[in-house]
Amino acid sequence: MTVVYNAVPENCVCVFFFFPETRVVMTATQEEITETIMTTEMRHAHNAPAGGHARGGGRGMAAVWQQVLAVDARYNAYRTPTFPQFRTQYIRRRSQLLRENAKAGHPPALRRQYLRLRGQLLGQRYGPLSEPGSARAYSNSIVRSSRTTLDRMEDFEDDPRALGARGHRRSVSRGSYQLQAQMNRAVYEDRPPGSVVPTSAAEASRAMAGDTSLSENYAFAGMYHVFDQHVDEAVPRVRFANDDRHRLACCSLDGSISLCQLVPAPPTVLRVLRGHTRGVSDFAWSLSNDILVSTSLDATMRIWASEDGRCIREIPDPDGAELLCCTFQPVNNNLTVVGNAKHNVHVMNISTGKKVKGGSSKLTGRVLALSFDAPGRLLWAGDDRGSVFSFLFDMATGKLTKAKRLVVHEGSPVTSISARSWVSREARDPSLLINACLNKLLLYRVVDNEGTLQLKRSFPIEQSSHPVRSIFCPLMSFRQGACVVTGSEDMCVHFFDVERAAKAAVNKLQGHSAPVLDVSFNCDESLLASSDASGMVIVWRREQK
């Protein structure tokens, strides 16, 4: 890369970056060029001999480059306001250099010193950071639709984790919740806090999985790709297609849905689904991925063909209210459940476009979150007044019967509900993962066939106002421990081990410049997608073992 300086006003220079794929000419301030050169010089000056570094040192450096990249990402909105495409290229190069530095194994003191100086340099150049979601940070995050591949695409078929992934995804317990709860209580009374439920083949199963720790298993090699076609409007939902490693969709408050393909390289936006006149609040893939259903603040739900992006049907909300969430009935994808702003849950037949008779019920507030159990017999719904309701779902008729109500916290909106029949292969524990605006991620145990919930534990995150979501990791491994992933208003993605009694935090991904609203794993956990309130979607790649 050749850098040519030409004098221009206001202490700026004209810099010619040669990128073979784009051949673009961009400008940058003298300070920004100095930052990049400093990083490159530091990399060469302190480059350690290859090999011979302890595994712990590599992991430590990986954590530091994540912190440095997070600082860069948060200041990125202030760079080159008239050349937004430069910001994406800039963060790409920073990510590349920092990954290379992570492999060099620099001394811890040098890492900390660099992080401190980096923060001071950016603070002096751009001033103090504004609060997440503030007007300045929000309005300046204008990175137009330049979708940049951050890592060289490699053949995912060589990843051994892909083997058997499809079978693992649907391995769920379908037994009685009541019997399951009785067994769990009996076992939990006799085991130390935080330990897994033992099985007769526990040691053999762990030997099969290897001795990789949960922290190592969920270590990430950095950003794989950034999608920013929805910049300036929040992306409240991002989802990989079912049993698919490379197909991704996300919806935006700009009123559109993007269908993305990560392979072959470079990752691309296949098509953008347009038709809603207001923001898209939620969407869901059908079991076979041939259709998507979306809900919108324009008081309609739409059915889309994923193959060509056609809108098959538009269905108005029965109450004429804003639609806030949706989910397919897991066994019968002809039925979709939606929640609206008039406190109602409706079961809709997407073939007829009509509400199912007996398939409606009223909550205490605006319905923000929905989730079925795996067999599709229990439905949970959360509202903006802090309540979670369970419903019995009649598989033959689609009728809803209200069963139980839990007040998570009065007045704290329940923004996400995820159900799981098994937490891991050694922890058969029907559970519910709930986000509420309490600065906590909550894990509940399902104790009977009516969906009664009992708090198991909580994990600290930052969430007081944004609609943050969380998920269980899709694969049930034989490793000791089980992992959940959540967004957070601190602009990070957090991983927690639900079976670890103390220090449950497993990993933290930094790189977003706004509150992280949603997360999604692909079916074999090789890629994780996260979306934020500024419209950015980051795809993270797990380290190859």
Side-chain angles (χ1 to χ4, degrees), residues 206-236:
R206 289 179 195 154
M208 289 167 56
D211 60 356
T212 307
S213 70
L214 204 63
S215 298
E216 292 172 320
N217 197 45
Y218 290 105
F220 281 75
M223 295 181 187
Y224 168 68
H225 192 79
V226 172
F227 291 102
D228 53 10
Q229 66 272 14
H230 297 295
V231 72
D232 279 346
E233 292 287 352
V235 175

PDB file of all heavy atoms in Angstrom, residues 206-236:
ATOM      1  N   ARG A 206     -17.402 -36.858  28.433  1.00  0.00           N
ATOM      2  CA  ARG A 206     -16.437 -35.771  28.429  1.00  0.00           C
ATOM      3  C   ARG A 206     -15.171 -36.169  27.695  1.00  0.00           C
ATOM      4  O   ARG A 206     -14.527 -35.347  27.040  1.00  0.00           O
ATOM      5  CB  ARG A 206     -16.116 -35.359  29.861  1.00  0.00           C
ATOM      6  CG  ARG A 206     -17.276 -34.647  30.547  1.00  0.00           C
ATOM      7  CD  ARG A 206     -16.945 -34.271  31.964  1.00  0.00           C
ATOM      8  NE  ARG A 206     -18.161 -33.932  32.683  1.00  0.00           N
ATOM      9  CZ  ARG A 206     -18.287 -34.035  33.995  1.00  0.00           C
ATOM     10  NH1 ARG A 206     -17.282 -34.466  34.727  1.00  0.00           N
ATOM     11  NH2 ARG A 206     -19.411 -33.704  34.580  1.00  0.00           N
ATOM     12  N   ALA A 207     -14.804 -37.437  27.806  1.00  0.00           N
ATOM     13  CA  ALA A 207     -13.638 -37.915  27.078  1.00  0.00           C
ATOM     14  C   ALA A 207     -13.872 -37.817  25.573  1.00  0.00           C
ATOM     15  O   ALA A 207     -12.969 -37.489  24.793  1.00  0.00           O
ATOM     16  CB  ALA A 207     -13.329 -39.359  27.463  1.00  0.00           C
ATOM     17  N   MET A 208     -15.101 -38.095  25.145  1.00  0.00           N
ATOM     18  CA  MET A 208     -15.446 -37.978  23.732  1.00  0.00           C
ATOM     19  C   MET A 208     -15.315 -36.532  23.264  1.00  0.00           C
ATOM     20  O   MET A 208     -14.882 -36.251  22.150  1.00  0.00           O
ATOM     21  CB  MET A 208     -16.885 -38.454  23.493  1.00  0.00           C
ATOM     22  CG  MET A 208     -17.073 -39.955  23.619  1.00  0.00           C
ATOM     23  SD  MET A 208     -18.827 -40.376  23.688  1.00  0.00           S
ATOM     24  CE  MET A 208     -19.414 -39.633  22.172  1.00  0.00           C
ATOM     25  N   ALA A 209     -15.721 -35.599  24.107  1.00  0.00           N
ATOM     26  CA  ALA A 209     -15.702 -34.183  23.738  1.00  0.00           C
ATOM     27  C   ALA A 209     -14.307 -33.592  23.809  1.00  0.00           C
ATOM     28  O   ALA A 209     -14.040 -32.554  23.225  1.00  0.00           O
ATOM     29  CB  ALA A 209     -16.629 -33.395  24.657  1.00  0.00           C
ATOM     30  N   GLY A 210     -13.379 -34.263  24.504  1.00  0.00           N
ATOM     31  CA  GLY A 210     -12.057 -33.707  24.695  1.00  0.00           C
ATOM     32  C   GLY A 210     -12.012 -32.839  25.937  1.00  0.00           C
ATOM     33  O   GLY A 210     -13.018 -32.609  26.592  1.00  0.00           O
ATOM     34  N   ASP A 211     -10.813 -32.325  26.259  1.00  0.00           N
ATOM     35  CA  ASP A 211     -10.655 -31.559  27.492  1.00  0.00           C
ATOM     36  C   ASP A 211     -10.731 -30.056  27.263  1.00  0.00           C
ATOM     37  O   ASP A 211     -10.294 -29.271  28.084  1.00  0.00           O
ATOM     38  CB  ASP A 211      -9.316 -31.915  28.158  1.00  0.00           C
ATOM     39  CG  ASP A 211      -8.127 -31.605  27.261  1.00  0.00           C
ATOM     40  OD1 ASP A 211      -8.349 -31.184  26.100  1.00  0.00           O
ATOM     41  OD2 ASP A 211      -6.982 -31.781  27.724  1.00  0.00           O
ATOM     42  N   THR A 212     -11.304 -29.653  26.139  1.00  0.00           N
ATOM     43  CA  THR A 212     -11.443 -28.227  25.875  1.00  0.00           C
ATOM     44  C   THR A 212     -12.405 -27.596  26.872  1.00  0.00           C
ATOM     45  O   THR A 212     -13.514 -28.077  27.060  1.00  0.00           O
ATOM     46  CB  THR A 212     -11.985 -27.996  24.455  1.00  0.00           C
ATOM     47  OG1 THR A 212     -11.161 -28.690  23.537  1.00  0.00           O
ATOM     48  CG2 THR A 212     -11.975 -26.518  24.115  1.00  0.00           C
ATOM     49  N   SER A 213     -11.978 -26.514  27.488  1.00  0.00           N
ATOM     50  CA  SER A 213     -12.841 -25.848  28.457  1.00  0.00           C
ATOM     51  C   SER A 213     -13.911 -25.052  27.723  1.00  0.00           C
ATOM     52  O   SER A 213     -13.815 -24.778  26.525  1.00  0.00           O
ATOM     53  CB  SER A 213     -12.015 -24.916  29.342  1.00  0.00           C
ATOM     54  OG  SER A 213     -11.563 -23.808  28.596  1.00  0.00           O
ATOM     55  N   LEU A 214     -14.943 -24.646  28.475  1.00  0.00           N
ATOM     56  CA  LEU A 214     -16.015 -23.867  27.866  1.00  0.00           C
ATOM     57  C   LEU A 214     -15.481 -22.521  27.387  1.00  0.00           C
ATOM     58  O   LEU A 214     -15.899 -22.007  26.341  1.00  0.00           O
ATOM     59  CB  LEU A 214     -17.149 -23.667  28.881  1.00  0.00           C
ATOM     60  CG  LEU A 214     -18.535 -23.398  28.293  1.00  0.00           C
ATOM     61  CD1 LEU A 214     -19.004 -24.598  27.484  1.00  0.00           C
ATOM     62  CD2 LEU A 214     -19.531 -23.102  29.396  1.00  0.00           C
ATOM     63  N   SER A 215     -14.541 -21.935  28.129  1.00  0.00           N
ATOM     64  CA  SER A 215     -13.958 -20.658  27.718  1.00  0.00           C
ATOM     65  C   SER A 215     -13.220 -20.790  26.399  1.00  0.00           C
ATOM     66  O   SER A 215     -13.324 -19.926  25.520  1.00  0.00           O
ATOM     67  CB  SER A 215     -13.001 -20.134  28.799  1.00  0.00           C
ATOM     68  OG  SER A 215     -13.695 -19.891  30.002  1.00  0.00           O
ATOM     69  N   GLU A 216     -12.469 -21.880  26.247  1.00  0.00           N
ATOM     70  CA  GLU A 216     -11.761 -22.103  24.988  1.00  0.00           C
ATOM     71  C   GLU A 216     -12.729 -22.404  23.859  1.00  0.00           C
ATOM     72  O   GLU A 216     -12.525 -22.002  22.716  1.00  0.00           O
ATOM     73  CB  GLU A 216     -10.761 -23.245  25.150  1.00  0.00           C
ATOM     74  CG  GLU A 216      -9.604 -22.926  26.078  1.00  0.00           C
ATOM     75  CD  GLU A 216      -8.748 -24.135  26.374  1.00  0.00           C
ATOM     76  OE1 GLU A 216      -9.298 -25.231  26.566  1.00  0.00           O
ATOM     77  OE2 GLU A 216      -7.518 -23.975  26.392  1.00  0.00           O
ATOM     78  N   ASN A 217     -13.811 -23.120  24.196  1.00  0.00           N
ATOM     79  CA  ASN A 217     -14.781 -23.506  23.178  1.00  0.00           C
ATOM     80  C   ASN A 217     -15.495 -22.296  22.594  1.00  0.00           C
ATOM     81  O   ASN A 217     -15.902 -22.311  21.433  1.00  0.00           O
ATOM     82  CB  ASN A 217     -15.808 -24.467  23.791  1.00  0.00           C
ATOM     83  CG  ASN A 217     -16.591 -25.221  22.744  1.00  0.00           C
ATOM     84  OD1 ASN A 217     -16.014 -25.721  21.782  1.00  0.00           O
ATOM     85  ND2 ASN A 217     -17.883 -25.309  22.919  1.00  0.00           N
ATOM     86  N   TYR A 218     -15.659 -21.230  23.402  1.00  0.00           N
ATOM     87  CA  TYR A 218     -16.333 -20.032  22.930  1.00  0.00           C
ATOM     88  C   TYR A 218     -15.370 -18.851  22.818  1.00  0.00           C
ATOM     89  O   TYR A 218     -15.728 -17.719  23.105  1.00  0.00           O
ATOM     90  CB  TYR A 218     -17.531 -19.708  23.827  1.00  0.00           C
ATOM     91  CG  TYR A 218     -18.646 -20.705  23.656  1.00  0.00           C
ATOM     92  CD1 TYR A 218     -18.898 -21.677  24.620  1.00  0.00           C
ATOM     93  CD2 TYR A 218     -19.400 -20.723  22.497  1.00  0.00           C
ATOM     94  CE1 TYR A 218     -19.898 -22.617  24.441  1.00  0.00           C
ATOM     95  CE2 TYR A 218     -20.397 -21.663  22.304  1.00  0.00           C
ATOM     96  CZ  TYR A 218     -20.645 -22.604  23.278  1.00  0.00           C
ATOM     97  OH  TYR A 218     -21.626 -23.537  23.094  1.00  0.00           O
ATOM     98  N   ALA A 219     -14.141 -19.152  22.370  1.00  0.00           N
ATOM     99  CA  ALA A 219     -13.183 -18.104  22.025  1.00  0.00           C
ATOM    100  C   ALA A 219     -13.378 -17.746  20.557  1.00  0.00           C
ATOM    101  O   ALA A 219     -13.589 -18.616  19.719  1.00  0.00           O
ATOM    102  CB  ALA A 219     -11.756 -18.597  22.265  1.00  0.00           C
ATOM    103  N   PHE A 220     -13.330 -16.456  20.247  1.00  0.00           N
ATOM    104  CA  PHE A 220     -13.594 -16.002  18.889  1.00  0.00           C
ATOM    105  C   PHE A 220     -12.361 -15.355  18.293  1.00  0.00           C
ATOM    106  O   PHE A 220     -11.568 -14.720  18.977  1.00  0.00           O
ATOM    107  CB  PHE A 220     -14.771 -15.021  18.866  1.00  0.00           C
ATOM    108  CG  PHE A 220     -16.106 -15.696  18.937  1.00  0.00           C
ATOM    109  CD1 PHE A 220     -16.554 -16.232  20.133  1.00  0.00           C
ATOM    110  CD2 PHE A 220     -16.891 -15.830  17.817  1.00  0.00           C
ATOM    111  CE1 PHE A 220     -17.771 -16.881  20.210  1.00  0.00           C
ATOM    112  CE2 PHE A 220     -18.108 -16.479  17.876  1.00  0.00           C
ATOM    113  CZ  PHE A 220     -18.554 -17.000  19.069  1.00  0.00           C
ATOM    114  N   ALA A 221     -12.211 -15.550  16.966  1.00  0.00           N
ATOM    115  CA  ALA A 221     -11.047 -15.039  16.251  1.00  0.00           C
ATOM    116  C   ALA A 221     -11.259 -13.631  15.726  1.00  0.00           C
ATOM    117  O   ALA A 221     -10.433 -13.105  15.009  1.00  0.00           O
ATOM    118  CB  ALA A 221     -10.707 -15.978  15.089  1.00  0.00           C
ATOM    119  N   GLY A 222     -12.372 -13.015  16.071  1.00  0.00           N
ATOM    120  CA  GLY A 222     -12.606 -11.638  15.678  1.00  0.00           C
ATOM    121  C   GLY A 222     -13.742 -11.487  14.683  1.00  0.00           C
ATOM    122  O   GLY A 222     -14.473 -12.422  14.386  1.00  0.00           O
ATOM    123  N   MET A 223     -13.888 -10.263  14.169  1.00  0.00           N
ATOM    124  CA  MET A 223     -14.948  -9.976  13.214  1.00  0.00           C
ATOM    125  C   MET A 223     -14.682 -10.726  11.914  1.00  0.00           C
ATOM    126  O   MET A 223     -13.589 -10.671  11.363  1.00  0.00           O
ATOM    127  CB  MET A 223     -15.017  -8.479  12.933  1.00  0.00           C
ATOM    128  CG  MET A 223     -15.423  -7.640  14.127  1.00  0.00           C
ATOM    129  SD  MET A 223     -15.481  -5.887  13.644  1.00  0.00           S
ATOM    130  CE  MET A 223     -15.754  -5.129  15.248  1.00  0.00           C
ATOM    131  N   TYR A 224     -15.705 -11.366  11.429  1.00  0.00           N
ATOM    132  CA  TYR A 224     -15.614 -12.044  10.139  1.00  0.00           C
ATOM    133  C   TYR A 224     -16.195 -11.165   9.033  1.00  0.00           C
ATOM    134  O   TYR A 224     -15.686 -11.112   7.910  1.00  0.00           O
ATOM    135  CB  TYR A 224     -16.352 -13.382  10.222  1.00  0.00           C
ATOM    136  CG  TYR A 224     -16.573 -14.042   8.886  1.00  0.00           C
ATOM    137  CD1 TYR A 224     -15.487 -14.542   8.177  1.00  0.00           C
ATOM    138  CD2 TYR A 224     -17.842 -14.139   8.338  1.00  0.00           C
ATOM    139  CE1 TYR A 224     -15.680 -15.127   6.945  1.00  0.00           C
ATOM    140  CE2 TYR A 224     -18.040 -14.726   7.116  1.00  0.00           C
ATOM    141  CZ  TYR A 224     -16.959 -15.219   6.419  1.00  0.00           C
ATOM    142  OH  TYR A 224     -17.141 -15.792   5.193  1.00  0.00           O
ATOM    143  N   HIS A 225     -17.254 -10.449   9.349  1.00  0.00           N
ATOM    144  CA  HIS A 225     -17.883  -9.582   8.358  1.00  0.00           C
ATOM    145  C   HIS A 225     -18.757  -8.548   9.081  1.00  0.00           C
ATOM    146  O   HIS A 225     -19.243  -8.798  10.179  1.00  0.00           O
ATOM    147  CB  HIS A 225     -18.749 -10.407   7.404  1.00  0.00           C
ATOM    148  CG  HIS A 225     -19.203  -9.656   6.194  1.00  0.00           C
ATOM    149  ND1 HIS A 225     -18.394  -9.440   5.101  1.00  0.00           N
ATOM    150  CD2 HIS A 225     -20.369  -9.048   5.901  1.00  0.00           C
ATOM    151  CE1 HIS A 225     -19.050  -8.749   4.193  1.00  0.00           C
ATOM    152  NE2 HIS A 225     -20.255  -8.491   4.658  1.00  0.00           N
ATOM    153  N   VAL A 226     -18.934  -7.402   8.435  1.00  0.00           N
ATOM    154  CA  VAL A 226     -19.815  -6.359   8.960  1.00  0.00           C
ATOM    155  C   VAL A 226     -20.838  -6.006   7.890  1.00  0.00           C
ATOM    156  O   VAL A 226     -20.478  -5.707   6.752  1.00  0.00           O
ATOM    157  CB  VAL A 226     -19.027  -5.091   9.354  1.00  0.00           C
ATOM    158  CG1 VAL A 226     -19.985  -3.962   9.712  1.00  0.00           C
ATOM    159  CG2 VAL A 226     -18.099  -5.376  10.518  1.00  0.00           C
ATOM    160  N   PHE A 227     -22.111  -6.074   8.252  1.00  0.00           N
ATOM    161  CA  PHE A 227     -23.195  -5.603   7.391  1.00  0.00           C
ATOM    162  C   PHE A 227     -23.695  -4.277   7.956  1.00  0.00           C
ATOM    163  O   PHE A 227     -24.038  -4.200   9.144  1.00  0.00           O
ATOM    164  CB  PHE A 227     -24.353  -6.606   7.353  1.00  0.00           C
ATOM    165  CG  PHE A 227     -24.039  -7.894   6.633  1.00  0.00           C
ATOM    166  CD1 PHE A 227     -23.752  -9.043   7.346  1.00  0.00           C
ATOM    167  CD2 PHE A 227     -24.056  -7.944   5.248  1.00  0.00           C
ATOM    168  CE1 PHE A 227     -23.473 -10.230   6.694  1.00  0.00           C
ATOM    169  CE2 PHE A 227     -23.782  -9.135   4.590  1.00  0.00           C
ATOM    170  CZ  PHE A 227     -23.485 -10.279   5.304  1.00  0.00           C
ATOM    171  N   ASP A 228     -23.760  -3.261   7.112  1.00  0.00           N
ATOM    172  CA  ASP A 228     -24.205  -1.955   7.602  1.00  0.00           C
ATOM    173  C   ASP A 228     -25.200  -1.300   6.654  1.00  0.00           C
ATOM    174  O   ASP A 228     -25.291  -0.073   6.568  1.00  0.00           O
ATOM    175  CB  ASP A 228     -23.013  -1.023   7.851  1.00  0.00           C
ATOM    176  CG  ASP A 228     -22.096  -0.891   6.637  1.00  0.00           C
ATOM    177  OD1 ASP A 228     -22.484  -1.371   5.552  1.00  0.00           O
ATOM    178  OD2 ASP A 228     -21.010  -0.304   6.765  1.00  0.00           O
ATOM    179  N   GLN A 229     -25.984  -2.118   5.937  1.00  0.00           N
ATOM    180  CA  GLN A 229     -26.969  -1.564   5.016  1.00  0.00           C
ATOM    181  C   GLN A 229     -28.149  -0.911   5.728  1.00  0.00           C
ATOM    182  O   GLN A 229     -28.913  -0.172   5.105  1.00  0.00           O
ATOM    183  CB  GLN A 229     -27.488  -2.651   4.051  1.00  0.00           C
ATOM    184  CG  GLN A 229     -28.281  -3.760   4.710  1.00  0.00           C
ATOM    185  CD  GLN A 229     -27.404  -4.910   5.207  1.00  0.00           C
ATOM    186  OE1 GLN A 229     -26.195  -4.763   5.289  1.00  0.00           O
ATOM    187  NE2 GLN A 229     -28.029  -6.039   5.518  1.00  0.00           N
ATOM    188  N   HIS A 230     -28.310  -1.174   7.038  1.00  0.00           N
ATOM    189  CA  HIS A 230     -29.425  -0.580   7.790  1.00  0.00           C
ATOM    190  C   HIS A 230     -28.947   0.521   8.728  1.00  0.00           C
ATOM    191  O   HIS A 230     -29.576   0.789   9.753  1.00  0.00           O
ATOM    192  CB  HIS A 230     -30.142  -1.654   8.617  1.00  0.00           C
ATOM    193  CG  HIS A 230     -30.777  -2.720   7.788  1.00  0.00           C
ATOM    194  ND1 HIS A 230     -31.818  -2.483   6.926  1.00  0.00           N
ATOM    195  CD2 HIS A 230     -30.511  -4.047   7.690  1.00  0.00           C
ATOM    196  CE1 HIS A 230     -32.183  -3.612   6.336  1.00  0.00           C
ATOM    197  NE2 HIS A 230     -31.403  -4.565   6.771  1.00  0.00           N
ATOM    198  N   VAL A 231     -27.830   1.152   8.405  1.00  0.00           N
ATOM    199  CA  VAL A 231     -27.238   2.121   9.311  1.00  0.00           C
ATOM    200  C   VAL A 231     -28.220   3.255   9.624  1.00  0.00           C
ATOM    201  O   VAL A 231     -29.037   3.643   8.794  1.00  0.00           O
ATOM    202  CB  VAL A 231     -25.928   2.675   8.712  1.00  0.00           C
ATOM    203  CG1 VAL A 231     -26.207   3.603   7.543  1.00  0.00           C
ATOM    204  CG2 VAL A 231     -25.093   3.380   9.759  1.00  0.00           C
ATOM    205  N   ASP A 232     -28.145   3.736  10.848  1.00  0.00           N
ATOM    206  CA  ASP A 232     -28.961   4.837  11.389  1.00  0.00           C
ATOM    207  C   ASP A 232     -30.319   4.399  11.899  1.00  0.00           C
ATOM    208  O   ASP A 232     -31.039   5.200  12.482  1.00  0.00           O
ATOM    209  CB  ASP A 232     -29.142   5.974  10.379  1.00  0.00           C
ATOM    210  CG  ASP A 232     -27.932   6.884  10.345  1.00  0.00           C
ATOM    211  OD1 ASP A 232     -27.109   6.787  11.266  1.00  0.00           O
ATOM    212  OD2 ASP A 232     -27.809   7.668   9.401  1.00  0.00           O
ATOM    213  N   GLU A 233     -30.704   3.153  11.682  1.00  0.00           N
ATOM    214  CA  GLU A 233     -31.936   2.627  12.265  1.00  0.00           C
ATOM    215  C   GLU A 233     -31.607   1.309  12.962  1.00  0.00           C
ATOM    216  O   GLU A 233     -30.854   0.498  12.438  1.00  0.00           O
ATOM    217  CB  GLU A 233     -33.010   2.397  11.198  1.00  0.00           C
ATOM    218  CG  GLU A 233     -33.562   3.673  10.576  1.00  0.00           C
ATOM    219  CD  GLU A 233     -34.468   4.448  11.518  1.00  0.00           C
ATOM    220  OE1 GLU A 233     -34.793   3.923  12.600  1.00  0.00           O
ATOM    221  OE2 GLU A 233     -34.859   5.582  11.166  1.00  0.00           O
ATOM    222  N   ALA A 234     -32.167   1.117  14.142  1.00  0.00           N
ATOM    223  CA  ALA A 234     -31.843  -0.068  14.937  1.00  0.00           C
ATOM    224  C   ALA A 234     -32.225  -1.347  14.200  1.00  0.00           C
ATOM    225  O   ALA A 234     -33.190  -1.393  13.435  1.00  0.00           O
ATOM    226  CB  ALA A 234     -32.567  -0.006  16.274  1.00  0.00           C
ATOM    227  N   VAL A 235     -31.430  -2.390  14.421  1.00  0.00           N
ATOM    228  CA  VAL A 235     -31.734  -3.740  13.932  1.00  0.00           C
ATOM    229  C   VAL A 235     -32.124  -4.572  15.155  1.00  0.00           C
ATOM    230  O   VAL A 235     -31.261  -5.084  15.871  1.00  0.00           O
ATOM    231  CB  VAL A 235     -30.532  -4.358  13.206  1.00  0.00           C
ATOM    232  CG1 VAL A 235     -30.815  -5.808  12.819  1.00  0.00           C
ATOM    233  CG2 VAL A 235     -30.196  -3.548  11.961  1.00  0.00           C
ATOM    234  N   PRO A 236     -33.427  -4.706  15.444  1.00  0.00           N
ATOM    235  CA  PRO A 236     -33.855  -5.373  16.674  1.00  0.00           C
ATOM    236  C   PRO A 236     -33.751  -6.885  16.634  1.00  0.00           C
ATOM    237  O   PRO A 236     -33.787  -7.527  17.676  1.00  0.00           O
ATOM    238  CB  PRO A 236     -35.320  -4.938  16.818  1.00  0.00           C
ATOM    239  CG  PRO A 236     -35.772  -4.674  15.422  1.00  0.00           C
ATOM    240  CD  PRO A 236     -34.570  -4.141  14.695  1.00  0.00           C
TER     241      PRO A 236
END
